[in-house]
Amino acid sequence: MIHLDKVSKVFHKKNGRVVALKEVTLHIEKEDIFGIIGSSGAGKSTLIRTVNLLERPTSGHIFWDKVDLATLGDKALIQVRRKIGMIFQQFNLLSSRTVYENIAFPLELVGTRTEVIRDKVERLLVLVDLLDKKDEYPANLSGGQKQRVAIGRALASDPEILLCDEATSALDPHTTRSILALLKKINRELGITIILITHEMEVVRAICNRVAVIAQGEIIEQNDVESLFLNPQTQVTKDLLNPSLRID
């Protein structure tokens, strides 16, 4: 479904150049829950932002069903991006809008009829278990509830892919489990492919079927989750599997 072929990204700054991604090659199948794991600064967020070309790669190709996204014009790329939902660590909700209005926002932007919006938002509120909170404002919600709103909003455009950038990092363990269960349900019932960026191996273990490890902008290892946990090939992966606080 999605194929990254030797994707590199270089940022030019006053004091030189920063190579954020180095010839990354990945293949993600339809309906995968694909984890990309690495420590802070490894290049995870840059990588996920290249999938929908929020960051255009310096070199390489990004194919979606054999179409190279980098070759698309602005109008065609906008249409593709509507099929790619995204959720973030900090939720990015509109504070002046209710839960209902936040989820409805992407539909309003494209001129969807009011009755269609109402039907779709009601169904999404049931899916994310927030029907009783539809008239609340984000300030009155818990972190987990805010993330459920963000997920509902991301699903409003009927995406085929859901990008999750550290979507559970700001949540406590119990809430994290509930959000991961929701993502797994969305993948299973709606057939949406999920690409999940995280630094937490337990998140990968909980819901992913495949995983890639990134370090210093390079994919150093990728496998199905069980094989990677049972037989890690690099020291970086072993350190991620066995986090410990060491003071020399």
Side-chain angles (χ1 to χ4, degrees):
M1 182 180 190
I2 305 167
H3 181 67
L4 278 66
D5 181 27
K6 296 183 178 179
V7 169
S8 295
K9 178 65 181 180
V10 179
F11 293 101
H12 295 277
K13 300 188 175 182
K14 287 184 179 180
N15 57 349
R17 62 202 294 270
V18 176
V19 181
L21 298 175
K22 304 175 187 176
E23 296 198 336
V24 169
T25 295
L26 288 174
H27 186 76
I28 299 166
E29 295 285 356
K30 184 176 174 59
E31 298 186 23
D32 269 351
I33 304 182
F34 195 101
I36 300 171
I37 188 166
S39 57
S40 296
K44 303 186 301 297
S45 291
T46 301
L47 177 56
I48 202 170
R49 287 169 63 85
T50 63
V51 173
N52 59 1
L53 268 71
L54 288 176
E55 293 286 357
R56 286 189 173 268
T58 305
S59 61
H61 303 276
I62 301 169
F63 295 98
W64 185 2
D65 292 337
K66 301 183 180 179
V67 175
D68 188 350
L69 299 187
T71 66
L72 298 180
D74 290 343
K75 287 186 178 181
L77 187 55
I78 287 171
Q79 294 300 317
V80 168
R81 282 179 178 152
R82 287 176 182 160
K83 293 299 180 182
I84 304 176
M86 194 162 188
I87 59 174
F88 307 88
Q89 179 179 353
Q90 297 301 331
F91 321 126
N92 292 358
L93 302 180
L94 299 169
S95 61
S96 61
R97 283 177 161 251
T98 64
V99 168
Y100 180 101
E101 292 166 341
N102 265 281
I103 296 175
F105 187 60
L107 300 170
E108 294 172 2
L109 287 178
V110 296
T112 307
R113 297 195 316 274
T114 301
E115 61 271 22
V116 175
I117 291 176
R118 184 170 55 248
D119 179 65
K120 177 168 282 188
V121 174
E122 292 284 342
R123 285 189 284 110
L124 288 171
L125 285 166
V126 172
L127 176 66
V128 300
D129 196 23
L130 288 176
L131 189 59
D132 62 333
K133 300 290 184 181
K134 68 177 184 177
D135 296 320
E136 296 283 355
Y137 288 90
N140 299 324
L141 302 177
S142 68
Q145 290 167 340
K146 290 176 183 177
Q147 194 59 282
R148 287 174 180 271
V149 179
I151 292 170
R153 182 183 58 190
L155 295 177
S157 299
D158 297 322
E160 296 179 28
I161 302 167
L162 186 60
L163 307 180
C164 305
D165 190 359
E166 297 280 11
T168 60
S169 294
L171 306 176
D172 63 75
H174 174 77
T175 306
T176 291
R177 286 192 292 272
S178 72
I179 294 298
L180 294 178
L182 175 59
L183 291 174
K184 198 164 188 176
K185 177 181 179 181
I186 288 166
N187 170 259
R188 182 178 64 249
E189 295 185 3
L190 303 182
I192 294 175
T193 303
I194 295 175
I195 303 174
L196 190 148
I197 295 288
T198 185
H199 64 274
E200 300 171 291
M201 272 294 187
E202 288 308 310
V203 169
V204 169
R205 189 199 296 266
I207 66 168
C208 295
N209 62 299
R210 290 190 59 79
V211 59
V213 182
I214 187 170
Q216 297 182 325
E218 295 184 271
I219 298 298
I220 59 171
E221 188 169 355
Q222 56 182 308
N223 212 328
D224 65 87
V225 169
E226 183 178 4
S227 297
L228 184 132
F229 271 80
L230 290 175
N231 189 28
Q233 298 297 302
T234 67
Q235 188 59 48
V236 170
T237 305
K238 292 174 184 176
D239 289 343
L240 288 167
L241 283 167
N242 299 290
S244 62
L245 184 63
R246 294 184 303 187
I247 301 174
D248 296 323

